[in-house]
Amino acid sequence: MRTLDLTILVAYLVGTVLFGAWFSRSQKNVKDYFVAGERVPWWAIMGSIVATETSTVTFISVPGFAYNANFTFMQLVIGYMIGRIVVSLMFVPLYFRGELLTVYQLLGQRFGSGVRRLASLLFLTTRSLADGFRLFATGLVLAALLLAMPGMEPLATSWFPSLEPKFAVLIVSVLVLGAATILYTYLGGMAAVIWTDVIQLVIYLLGALLAAWILLGKIPGGLDEVVQVGIGAGKFTWFDFSWTLTKSYTFWSGVIGGAFLTTATHGTDQMMVQRYLCSSSTRQARVALLTSGAVVFVQFMLFLLIGAMLYVYYTGHATAEIASFTLNGKLQTDRIFPHFIVTHLPAGIVGLVVAAIFSAAMSTLSSSLNSSSATAVGDFYLPLTGGKKSDHHYLTVSRVMTVIWGVVQISVAIMAIKLSSRVVDEVLGIASFTNGVILGVFFLGTFTKRVGQTAAFIGILAGAALMLWVKLQTGVSWQWYVLIGSVTTFAVGWLASFVFKRQTPEFEPSQF
């Protein structure tokens, strides 16, 4: 590990924390802490949306996907773009009909506090699990760097003497990343999260472009060789029209499933909706959401192209190194790009690219912590106390909640260390499991009038039960989970409304 690289990483982490501290000066209440006073420009929200959905899973797993497969991941991205259009037309206007702290307040107004809190609980559970995996994925990269430092293994094992050195270093990595993210999110709130996201977006795109440029320079035939070898190996295949529910990344699962997934994540998930609430109007939120789709499309193309170039380089010019990311004869796709970064980039560039990977992770994790805190405070603590405490009290509780959820995600990351080598499927599978159920409830609120709280509860239970069976007993691809969960929840809830008539939900006035 070179001193220059380590200096860059430390400077990045310290600078991020100080940046968060700077925003703490303007916070007076939970509205400042969670929705940045509703005065963030659309382009900053757009950058924050892109940075948030671009975690380390994107940075290291998507190139690994292209290395091992092809460009069929782009079918899912097409679905992402369709989902954004649906959200901008169907859901975004609802967010500006009143002053909201969380998206689940809409469910409380429509069905009552019980449904609102159940949806909030599902969100909190999903975020903690999925983002714990994301933190684990980033820890893999930092661990690879730390293991190259003389004396790091003995130091880590002195802290965790019962563990193998590589696992001890990985736990240290997770703790460092988690602590830094908790600290700047704790201090700066949503304003710090958004503006840090914008900076992190620039850093990780610059890092990816630099890595791609250096990688291309190591391939003797340049871009022509990448295209020729890639075509011969089928790396640039975009579409797979096979019809099967058990296969991921087909045209049908990608476009249809991806559209439903994005409708759920960007339309009913607090982590994304909270960004729209930071804008000043419906129009600003729509522009931010739709332009983010174009940026995400180009971004995924870049990461997949890096994967194709890695394939050409390692299979044609550095075959001896393949053993470095192979375990028991199985290719560890999430380790390919990090291996290239650590072993082939020059001093200084390694630090910048790894900082880019940290940027991708920390942007998602900080968003998750702030939105989880907003949900815990807005949907549970504020109603419990009746909004009678002081602004300072609620601001303090909000910060404490940020720390609590950070500790939960660090715990998940540590438990995930021996669990998975294919992180991208784990993360997206977890997110898809509950997002479909929540989307189904929003559909009930949007498209029906007769469905009340009891029928909605029955729909949620049916959707969750079916998804549990699908997850444990079938081989259905995770890309169909949101569609299955939302349709089941909606259909059962609607049918149940013929038996359980709607009662007027209790009135929940705005807390602000």
Short mmCIF file of all heavy atoms in Angstrom, two decimals, residues 91-153:
data_model
loop_
_atom_site.label_atom_id
_atom_site.label_comp_id
_atom_site.label_asym_id
_atom_site.label_seq_id
_atom_site.Cartn_x
_atom_site.Cartn_y
_atom_site.Cartn_z
N PHE A 91 -46.98 9.10 -9.15
CA PHE A 91 -46.75 9.30 -7.72
C PHE A 91 -46.21 10.67 -7.33
O PHE A 91 -46.58 11.21 -6.29
CB PHE A 91 -45.78 8.23 -7.20
CG PHE A 91 -46.36 6.85 -7.15
CD1 PHE A 91 -45.68 5.77 -7.70
CD2 PHE A 91 -47.59 6.61 -6.56
CE1 PHE A 91 -46.22 4.49 -7.66
CE2 PHE A 91 -48.13 5.34 -6.51
CZ PHE A 91 -47.45 4.28 -7.06
N VAL A 92 -45.32 11.25 -8.15
CA VAL A 92 -44.69 12.51 -7.76
C VAL A 92 -45.70 13.60 -7.40
O VAL A 92 -45.52 14.31 -6.40
CB VAL A 92 -43.71 12.99 -8.85
CG1 VAL A 92 -43.22 14.41 -8.55
CG2 VAL A 92 -42.51 12.04 -8.94
N PRO A 93 -46.80 13.77 -8.17
CA PRO A 93 -47.76 14.82 -7.78
C PRO A 93 -48.36 14.61 -6.38
O PRO A 93 -48.71 15.60 -5.71
CB PRO A 93 -48.85 14.71 -8.86
CG PRO A 93 -48.15 14.13 -10.04
CD PRO A 93 -47.17 13.16 -9.46
N LEU A 94 -48.46 13.35 -5.93
CA LEU A 94 -49.04 13.08 -4.61
C LEU A 94 -48.17 13.64 -3.50
O LEU A 94 -48.68 14.01 -2.43
CB LEU A 94 -49.21 11.57 -4.41
CG LEU A 94 -50.14 10.83 -5.36
CD1 LEU A 94 -50.10 9.33 -5.06
CD2 LEU A 94 -51.55 11.36 -5.25
N TYR A 95 -46.86 13.70 -3.73
CA TYR A 95 -45.94 14.11 -2.67
C TYR A 95 -46.03 15.59 -2.34
O TYR A 95 -45.54 16.02 -1.30
CB TYR A 95 -44.50 13.77 -3.06
CG TYR A 95 -44.28 12.35 -3.50
CD1 TYR A 95 -43.37 12.04 -4.51
CD2 TYR A 95 -44.99 11.31 -2.91
CE1 TYR A 95 -43.17 10.73 -4.91
CE2 TYR A 95 -44.79 10.00 -3.31
CZ TYR A 95 -43.88 9.72 -4.32
OH TYR A 95 -43.69 8.43 -4.73
N PHE A 96 -46.64 16.37 -3.24
CA PHE A 96 -46.67 17.82 -3.04
C PHE A 96 -48.07 18.34 -2.73
O PHE A 96 -48.34 19.54 -2.83
CB PHE A 96 -46.09 18.51 -4.28
CG PHE A 96 -44.62 18.26 -4.47
CD1 PHE A 96 -44.17 17.16 -5.18
CD2 PHE A 96 -43.69 19.10 -3.89
CE1 PHE A 96 -42.83 16.91 -5.34
CE2 PHE A 96 -42.33 18.85 -4.04
CZ PHE A 96 -41.90 17.76 -4.77
N ARG A 97 -48.98 17.44 -2.35
CA ARG A 97 -50.32 17.87 -1.96
C ARG A 97 -50.39 18.30 -0.51
O ARG A 97 -51.37 18.84 -0.05
CB ARG A 97 -51.33 16.75 -2.23
CG ARG A 97 -51.54 16.49 -3.72
CD ARG A 97 -52.56 15.40 -3.96
NE ARG A 97 -52.75 15.15 -5.38
CZ ARG A 97 -53.52 14.19 -5.88
NH1 ARG A 97 -54.20 13.38 -5.04
NH2 ARG A 97 -53.64 14.03 -7.18
N GLY A 98 -49.40 18.00 0.23
CA GLY A 98 -49.29 18.41 1.63
C GLY A 98 -47.84 18.32 2.03
O GLY A 98 -46.99 17.87 1.26
N GLU A 99 -47.51 18.77 3.19
CA GLU A 99 -46.13 18.71 3.66
C GLU A 99 -45.87 17.35 4.29
O GLU A 99 -46.47 17.00 5.31
CB GLU A 99 -45.85 19.83 4.65
CG GLU A 99 -45.88 21.21 4.00
CD GLU A 99 -45.20 22.24 4.87
OE1 GLU A 99 -44.26 21.88 5.60
OE2 GLU A 99 -45.62 23.40 4.82
N LEU A 100 -44.98 16.58 3.67
CA LEU A 100 -44.69 15.24 4.13
C LEU A 100 -43.27 15.14 4.65
O LEU A 100 -42.36 15.83 4.17
CB LEU A 100 -44.86 14.23 2.98
CG LEU A 100 -46.24 14.11 2.33
CD1 LEU A 100 -46.18 13.08 1.20
CD2 LEU A 100 -47.28 13.72 3.35
N LEU A 101 -43.08 14.28 5.61
CA LEU A 101 -41.74 13.92 6.09
C LEU A 101 -41.34 12.57 5.52
O LEU A 101 -40.19 12.35 5.17
CB LEU A 101 -41.71 13.89 7.61
CG LEU A 101 -40.37 13.56 8.27
CD1 LEU A 101 -39.34 14.61 7.92
CD2 LEU A 101 -40.53 13.44 9.78
N THR A 102 -42.32 11.64 5.44
CA THR A 102 -42.06 10.33 4.83
C THR A 102 -43.19 10.01 3.86
O THR A 102 -44.32 10.49 3.99
CB THR A 102 -41.99 9.20 5.88
OG1 THR A 102 -43.31 8.87 6.32
CG2 THR A 102 -41.15 9.60 7.07
N VAL A 103 -42.89 9.17 2.89
CA VAL A 103 -43.88 8.79 1.89
C VAL A 103 -44.99 7.95 2.50
O VAL A 103 -46.13 7.92 2.00
CB VAL A 103 -43.19 8.02 0.74
CG1 VAL A 103 -42.64 6.68 1.22
CG2 VAL A 103 -44.13 7.81 -0.44
N TYR A 104 -44.71 7.31 3.63
CA TYR A 104 -45.69 6.43 4.24
C TYR A 104 -46.80 7.19 4.96
O TYR A 104 -47.80 6.60 5.35
CB TYR A 104 -44.99 5.44 5.18
CG TYR A 104 -43.84 4.76 4.47
CD1 TYR A 104 -42.53 4.96 4.88
CD2 TYR A 104 -44.07 3.96 3.34
CE1 TYR A 104 -41.47 4.39 4.19
CE2 TYR A 104 -43.02 3.38 2.65
CZ TYR A 104 -41.72 3.60 3.09
OH TYR A 104 -40.69 3.03 2.40
N GLN A 105 -46.63 8.50 5.13
CA GLN A 105 -47.71 9.32 5.64
C GLN A 105 -48.92 9.28 4.71
O GLN A 105 -50.06 9.39 5.15
CB GLN A 105 -47.25 10.76 5.83
CG GLN A 105 -46.30 10.95 7.01
CD GLN A 105 -45.80 12.37 7.12
OE1 GLN A 105 -44.63 12.65 6.87
NE2 GLN A 105 -46.66 13.29 7.50
N LEU A 106 -48.68 9.12 3.41
CA LEU A 106 -49.78 9.00 2.45
C LEU A 106 -50.63 7.77 2.75
O LEU A 106 -51.86 7.82 2.65
CB LEU A 106 -49.23 8.93 1.02
CG LEU A 106 -48.56 10.19 0.46
CD1 LEU A 106 -47.93 9.89 -0.89
CD2 LEU A 106 -49.57 11.32 0.35
N LEU A 107 -49.96 6.68 3.11
CA LEU A 107 -50.71 5.47 3.45
C LEU A 107 -51.50 5.67 4.73
O LEU A 107 -52.61 5.14 4.88
CB LEU A 107 -49.75 4.28 3.60
CG LEU A 107 -48.99 3.86 2.34
CD1 LEU A 107 -48.08 2.68 2.65
CD2 LEU A 107 -49.96 3.50 1.23
N GLY A 108 -50.94 6.43 5.67
CA GLY A 108 -51.66 6.71 6.90
C GLY A 108 -52.91 7.54 6.64
O GLY A 108 -53.97 7.29 7.23
N GLN A 109 -52.83 8.51 5.74
CA GLN A 109 -53.99 9.33 5.39
C GLN A 109 -55.06 8.51 4.68
O GLN A 109 -56.25 8.78 4.83
CB GLN A 109 -53.55 10.49 4.51
CG GLN A 109 -52.61 11.47 5.21
CD GLN A 109 -51.93 12.42 4.25
OE1 GLN A 109 -52.25 12.46 3.06
NE2 GLN A 109 -50.96 13.19 4.75
N ARG A 110 -54.63 7.51 3.93
CA ARG A 110 -55.58 6.70 3.14
C ARG A 110 -56.14 5.52 3.91
O ARG A 110 -57.34 5.23 3.84
CB ARG A 110 -54.86 6.22 1.87
CG ARG A 110 -55.66 5.23 1.01
CD ARG A 110 -56.90 5.87 0.42
NE ARG A 110 -57.53 4.95 -0.51
CZ ARG A 110 -58.34 3.95 -0.14
NH1 ARG A 110 -58.61 3.75 1.14
NH2 ARG A 110 -58.87 3.16 -1.05
N PHE A 111 -55.28 4.80 4.65
CA PHE A 111 -55.71 3.56 5.28
C PHE A 111 -55.69 3.59 6.81
O PHE A 111 -56.24 2.70 7.45
CB PHE A 111 -54.83 2.39 4.82
CG PHE A 111 -54.91 2.10 3.36
CD1 PHE A 111 -53.83 2.33 2.53
CD2 PHE A 111 -56.07 1.58 2.81
CE1 PHE A 111 -53.89 2.04 1.18
CE2 PHE A 111 -56.15 1.30 1.45
CZ PHE A 111 -55.06 1.54 0.63
N GLY A 112 -55.01 4.55 7.40
CA GLY A 112 -54.88 4.58 8.85
C GLY A 112 -53.46 4.32 9.29
O GLY A 112 -52.61 3.86 8.52
N SER A 113 -53.18 4.57 10.55
CA SER A 113 -51.82 4.50 11.07
C SER A 113 -51.24 3.08 11.07
O SER A 113 -50.03 2.89 10.98
CB SER A 113 -51.77 5.06 12.49
OG SER A 113 -52.62 4.32 13.36
N GLY A 114 -52.10 2.06 11.18
CA GLY A 114 -51.61 0.69 11.21
C GLY A 114 -50.90 0.31 9.93
O GLY A 114 -49.79 -0.26 9.95
N VAL A 115 -51.51 0.60 8.79
CA VAL A 115 -50.90 0.28 7.49
C VAL A 115 -49.64 1.11 7.29
O VAL A 115 -48.62 0.63 6.79
CB VAL A 115 -51.91 0.53 6.35
CG1 VAL A 115 -51.23 0.40 4.99
CG2 VAL A 115 -53.07 -0.45 6.45
N ARG A 116 -49.72 2.38 7.70
CA ARG A 116 -48.56 3.26 7.57
C ARG A 116 -47.35 2.68 8.30
O ARG A 116 -46.24 2.62 7.76
CB ARG A 116 -48.91 4.64 8.11
CG ARG A 116 -47.72 5.58 8.30
CD ARG A 116 -48.18 6.85 9.01
NE ARG A 116 -47.07 7.75 9.30
CZ ARG A 116 -47.22 8.92 9.91
NH1 ARG A 116 -48.42 9.31 10.32
NH2 ARG A 116 -46.17 9.69 10.14
N ARG A 117 -47.55 2.25 9.52
CA ARG A 117 -46.43 1.75 10.33
C ARG A 117 -45.94 0.39 9.85
O ARG A 117 -44.75 0.09 9.93
CB ARG A 117 -46.84 1.70 11.79
CG ARG A 117 -46.98 3.10 12.39
CD ARG A 117 -47.65 3.11 13.73
NE ARG A 117 -47.87 4.50 14.18
CZ ARG A 117 -48.68 4.85 15.16
NH1 ARG A 117 -49.36 3.91 15.81
NH2 ARG A 117 -48.83 6.11 15.49
N LEU A 118 -46.84 -0.43 9.34
CA LEU A 118 -46.42 -1.71 8.80
C LEU A 118 -45.53 -1.51 7.57
O LEU A 118 -44.48 -2.15 7.43
CB LEU A 118 -47.63 -2.57 8.46
CG LEU A 118 -47.32 -3.96 7.85
CD1 LEU A 118 -46.44 -4.77 8.79
CD2 LEU A 118 -48.62 -4.71 7.56
N ALA A 119 -45.94 -0.60 6.68
CA ALA A 119 -45.13 -0.29 5.50
C ALA A 119 -43.78 0.28 5.91
O ALA A 119 -42.73 -0.06 5.33
CB ALA A 119 -45.86 0.68 4.59
N SER A 120 -43.78 1.13 6.92
CA SER A 120 -42.53 1.72 7.41
C SER A 120 -41.61 0.64 7.97
O SER A 120 -40.39 0.67 7.75
CB SER A 120 -42.83 2.75 8.50
OG SER A 120 -43.63 3.80 8.01
N LEU A 121 -42.18 -0.32 8.68
CA LEU A 121 -41.39 -1.40 9.26
C LEU A 121 -40.77 -2.27 8.16
O LEU A 121 -39.60 -2.68 8.27
CB LEU A 121 -42.27 -2.25 10.18
CG LEU A 121 -41.56 -3.36 10.95
CD1 LEU A 121 -40.48 -2.77 11.87
CD2 LEU A 121 -42.57 -4.17 11.77
N LEU A 122 -41.53 -2.54 7.11
CA LEU A 122 -41.00 -3.30 5.98
C LEU A 122 -39.83 -2.55 5.34
O LEU A 122 -38.81 -3.15 4.97
CB LEU A 122 -42.10 -3.56 4.95
CG LEU A 122 -43.17 -4.58 5.33
CD1 LEU A 122 -44.27 -4.62 4.27
CD2 LEU A 122 -42.56 -5.97 5.51
N PHE A 123 -39.99 -1.25 5.19
CA PHE A 123 -38.91 -0.43 4.61
C PHE A 123 -37.66 -0.50 5.46
O PHE A 123 -36.55 -0.71 4.96
CB PHE A 123 -39.38 1.02 4.47
CG PHE A 123 -38.24 1.99 4.25
CD1 PHE A 123 -37.64 2.10 3.01
CD2 PHE A 123 -37.76 2.76 5.30
CE1 PHE A 123 -36.58 2.97 2.81
CE2 PHE A 123 -36.70 3.64 5.12
CZ PHE A 123 -36.12 3.75 3.86
N LEU A 124 -37.82 -0.32 6.77
CA LEU A 124 -36.67 -0.32 7.66
C LEU A 124 -35.93 -1.67 7.63
O LEU A 124 -34.70 -1.71 7.64
CB LEU A 124 -37.11 0.01 9.09
CG LEU A 124 -37.58 1.45 9.33
CD1 LEU A 124 -38.22 1.58 10.71
CD2 LEU A 124 -36.42 2.42 9.18
N THR A 125 -36.69 -2.75 7.58
CA THR A 125 -36.09 -4.07 7.53
C THR A 125 -35.31 -4.27 6.23
O THR A 125 -34.17 -4.74 6.23
CB THR A 125 -37.17 -5.16 7.66
OG1 THR A 125 -37.90 -4.97 8.88
CG2 THR A 125 -36.55 -6.55 7.65
N THR A 126 -35.94 -3.90 5.11
CA THR A 126 -35.30 -4.06 3.81
C THR A 126 -34.03 -3.23 3.70
O THR A 126 -32.99 -3.71 3.24
CB THR A 126 -36.28 -3.66 2.69
OG1 THR A 126 -37.43 -4.50 2.75
CG2 THR A 126 -35.62 -3.79 1.33
N ARG A 127 -34.10 -1.98 4.11
CA ARG A 127 -32.94 -1.09 4.01
C ARG A 127 -31.78 -1.62 4.84
O ARG A 127 -30.62 -1.60 4.40
CB ARG A 127 -33.29 0.31 4.47
CG ARG A 127 -34.13 1.11 3.51
CD ARG A 127 -33.26 1.98 2.59
NE ARG A 127 -32.38 1.22 1.72
CZ ARG A 127 -32.71 0.73 0.54
NH1 ARG A 127 -33.94 0.90 0.06
NH2 ARG A 127 -31.83 0.08 -0.20
N SER A 128 -32.07 -2.08 6.03
CA SER A 128 -31.00 -2.55 6.91
C SER A 128 -30.28 -3.76 6.31
O SER A 128 -29.05 -3.85 6.34
CB SER A 128 -31.58 -2.91 8.28
OG SER A 128 -32.13 -1.78 8.90
N LEU A 129 -31.04 -4.68 5.73
CA LEU A 129 -30.44 -5.88 5.15
C LEU A 129 -29.69 -5.57 3.86
O LEU A 129 -28.52 -5.93 3.70
CB LEU A 129 -31.52 -6.93 4.89
CG LEU A 129 -32.16 -7.55 6.13
CD1 LEU A 129 -33.33 -8.45 5.73
CD2 LEU A 129 -31.14 -8.34 6.94
N ALA A 130 -30.36 -4.88 2.93
CA ALA A 130 -29.75 -4.62 1.62
C ALA A 130 -28.51 -3.74 1.75
O ALA A 130 -27.47 -4.00 1.13
CB ALA A 130 -30.77 -3.96 0.70
N ASP A 131 -28.58 -2.70 2.55
CA ASP A 131 -27.45 -1.79 2.65
C ASP A 131 -26.35 -2.34 3.55
O ASP A 131 -25.20 -1.90 3.45
CB ASP A 131 -27.93 -0.42 3.12
CG ASP A 131 -28.80 0.25 2.06
OD1 ASP A 131 -28.53 0.03 0.87
OD2 ASP A 131 -29.74 0.97 2.41
N GLY A 132 -26.69 -3.28 4.42
CA GLY A 132 -25.65 -3.99 5.13
C GLY A 132 -24.79 -4.80 4.16
O GLY A 132 -23.56 -4.85 4.27
N PHE A 133 -25.42 -5.41 3.15
CA PHE A 133 -24.68 -6.12 2.10
C PHE A 133 -23.82 -5.16 1.28
O PHE A 133 -22.69 -5.48 0.88
CB PHE A 133 -25.65 -6.86 1.18
CG PHE A 133 -25.96 -8.26 1.65
CD1 PHE A 133 -27.10 -8.52 2.38
CD2 PHE A 133 -25.11 -9.31 1.33
CE1 PHE A 133 -27.38 -9.80 2.82
CE2 PHE A 133 -25.39 -10.60 1.76
CZ PHE A 133 -26.54 -10.85 2.50
N ARG A 134 -24.35 -3.96 1.02
CA ARG A 134 -23.57 -2.98 0.27
C ARG A 134 -22.33 -2.55 1.04
O ARG A 134 -21.25 -2.38 0.46
CB ARG A 134 -24.45 -1.76 -0.05
CG ARG A 134 -25.51 -2.01 -1.11
CD ARG A 134 -26.24 -0.72 -1.47
NE ARG A 134 -27.07 -0.90 -2.63
CZ ARG A 134 -28.39 -1.10 -2.61
NH1 ARG A 134 -29.02 -1.14 -1.44
NH2 ARG A 134 -29.08 -1.26 -3.72
N LEU A 135 -22.48 -2.38 2.33
CA LEU A 135 -21.33 -2.03 3.16
C LEU A 135 -20.30 -3.15 3.14
O LEU A 135 -19.09 -2.89 3.06
CB LEU A 135 -21.80 -1.74 4.59
CG LEU A 135 -20.72 -1.39 5.61
CD1 LEU A 135 -19.90 -0.19 5.16
CD2 LEU A 135 -21.35 -1.12 6.97
N PHE A 136 -20.75 -4.38 3.20
CA PHE A 136 -19.86 -5.53 3.11
C PHE A 136 -19.08 -5.52 1.79
O PHE A 136 -17.86 -5.76 1.77
CB PHE A 136 -20.68 -6.82 3.24
CG PHE A 136 -20.06 -8.03 2.59
CD1 PHE A 136 -18.88 -8.57 3.06
CD2 PHE A 136 -20.69 -8.62 1.50
CE1 PHE A 136 -18.33 -9.69 2.46
CE2 PHE A 136 -20.14 -9.74 0.89
CZ PHE A 136 -18.95 -10.27 1.37
N ALA A 137 -19.76 -5.20 0.69
CA ALA A 137 -19.10 -5.19 -0.62
C ALA A 137 -18.00 -4.15 -0.68
O ALA A 137 -16.92 -4.39 -1.25
CB ALA A 137 -20.13 -4.93 -1.72
N THR A 138 -18.23 -3.00 -0.09
CA THR A 138 -17.20 -1.96 -0.06
C THR A 138 -16.05 -2.37 0.84
O THR A 138 -14.88 -2.07 0.56
CB THR A 138 -17.79 -0.64 0.44
OG1 THR A 138 -19.01 -0.39 -0.26
CG2 THR A 138 -16.83 0.51 0.18
N GLY A 139 -16.37 -3.06 1.93
CA GLY A 139 -15.32 -3.54 2.82
C GLY A 139 -14.35 -4.48 2.13
O GLY A 139 -13.17 -4.52 2.47
N LEU A 140 -14.83 -5.23 1.13
CA LEU A 140 -13.96 -6.12 0.36
C LEU A 140 -12.84 -5.35 -0.32
O LEU A 140 -11.69 -5.78 -0.36
CB LEU A 140 -14.77 -6.88 -0.70
CG LEU A 140 -15.76 -7.94 -0.23
CD1 LEU A 140 -16.57 -8.46 -1.41
CD2 LEU A 140 -15.04 -9.08 0.47
N VAL A 141 -13.20 -4.17 -0.85
CA VAL A 141 -12.21 -3.36 -1.57
C VAL A 141 -11.19 -2.78 -0.60
O VAL A 141 -9.98 -2.85 -0.83
CB VAL A 141 -12.91 -2.23 -2.35
CG1 VAL A 141 -11.89 -1.42 -3.13
CG2 VAL A 141 -13.96 -2.81 -3.28
N LEU A 142 -11.66 -2.19 0.48
CA LEU A 142 -10.75 -1.61 1.45
C LEU A 142 -9.85 -2.70 2.06
O LEU A 142 -8.66 -2.47 2.27
CB LEU A 142 -11.53 -0.89 2.55
CG LEU A 142 -10.70 -0.22 3.65
CD1 LEU A 142 -9.71 0.76 3.05
CD2 LEU A 142 -11.59 0.46 4.67
N ALA A 143 -10.40 -3.87 2.29
CA ALA A 143 -9.61 -4.96 2.85
C ALA A 143 -8.49 -5.37 1.91
O ALA A 143 -7.36 -5.67 2.35
CB ALA A 143 -10.51 -6.16 3.15
N ALA A 144 -8.78 -5.37 0.60
CA ALA A 144 -7.74 -5.73 -0.37
C ALA A 144 -6.57 -4.76 -0.30
O ALA A 144 -5.40 -5.14 -0.46
CB ALA A 144 -8.33 -5.75 -1.78
N LEU A 145 -6.87 -3.49 -0.06
CA LEU A 145 -5.80 -2.50 0.07
C LEU A 145 -5.04 -2.65 1.38
O LEU A 145 -3.81 -2.60 1.43
CB LEU A 145 -6.40 -1.09 -0.02
CG LEU A 145 -6.84 -0.64 -1.41
CD1 LEU A 145 -7.60 0.67 -1.31
CD2 LEU A 145 -5.63 -0.47 -2.32
N LEU A 146 -5.78 -2.82 2.47
CA LEU A 146 -5.15 -2.91 3.77
C LEU A 146 -4.26 -4.14 3.90
O LEU A 146 -3.23 -4.12 4.57
CB LEU A 146 -6.21 -2.92 4.87
CG LEU A 146 -7.04 -1.64 5.02
CD1 LEU A 146 -8.07 -1.78 6.12
CD2 LEU A 146 -6.15 -0.43 5.27
N LEU A 147 -4.67 -5.23 3.26
CA LEU A 147 -3.87 -6.45 3.31
C LEU A 147 -2.50 -6.27 2.66
O LEU A 147 -1.57 -7.03 2.94
CB LEU A 147 -4.62 -7.61 2.64
CG LEU A 147 -5.77 -8.21 3.45
CD1 LEU A 147 -6.61 -9.15 2.59
CD2 LEU A 147 -5.24 -8.94 4.68
N ALA A 148 -2.39 -5.27 1.78
CA ALA A 148 -1.10 -4.99 1.13
C ALA A 148 -0.19 -4.12 1.98
O ALA A 148 0.96 -3.89 1.63
CB ALA A 148 -1.35 -4.30 -0.22
N MET A 149 -0.70 -3.65 3.10
CA MET A 149 0.09 -2.81 4.00
C MET A 149 0.88 -3.67 4.98
O MET A 149 0.31 -4.54 5.63
CB MET A 149 -0.82 -1.85 4.79
CG MET A 149 -1.47 -0.78 3.97
SD MET A 149 -2.49 0.30 5.02
CE MET A 149 -1.23 1.01 6.09
N PRO A 150 2.18 -3.46 5.11
CA PRO A 150 2.98 -4.21 6.10
C PRO A 150 2.46 -3.96 7.51
O PRO A 150 2.21 -2.82 7.90
CB PRO A 150 4.39 -3.63 5.91
CG PRO A 150 4.40 -3.05 4.53
CD PRO A 150 3.01 -2.56 4.29
N GLY A 151 2.25 -5.04 8.25
CA GLY A 151 1.84 -4.90 9.63
C GLY A 151 0.35 -4.83 9.86
O GLY A 151 -0.10 -4.85 11.01
N MET A 152 -0.45 -4.76 8.77
CA MET A 152 -1.90 -4.63 8.96
C MET A 152 -2.52 -5.93 9.47
O MET A 152 -3.39 -5.91 10.34
CB MET A 152 -2.57 -4.22 7.64
CG MET A 152 -4.10 -4.08 7.74
SD MET A 152 -4.67 -3.05 9.11
CE MET A 152 -4.01 -1.46 8.64
N GLU A 153 -2.08 -7.07 8.96
CA GLU A 153 -2.64 -8.34 9.42
C GLU A 153 -2.42 -8.55 10.92
O GLU A 153 -3.36 -8.87 11.65
CB GLU A 153 -2.06 -9.50 8.61
CG GLU A 153 -2.65 -9.61 7.21
CD GLU A 153 -2.27 -10.93 6.56
OE1 GLU A 153 -1.87 -11.87 7.30
OE2 GLU A 153 -2.38 -11.04 5.33
#
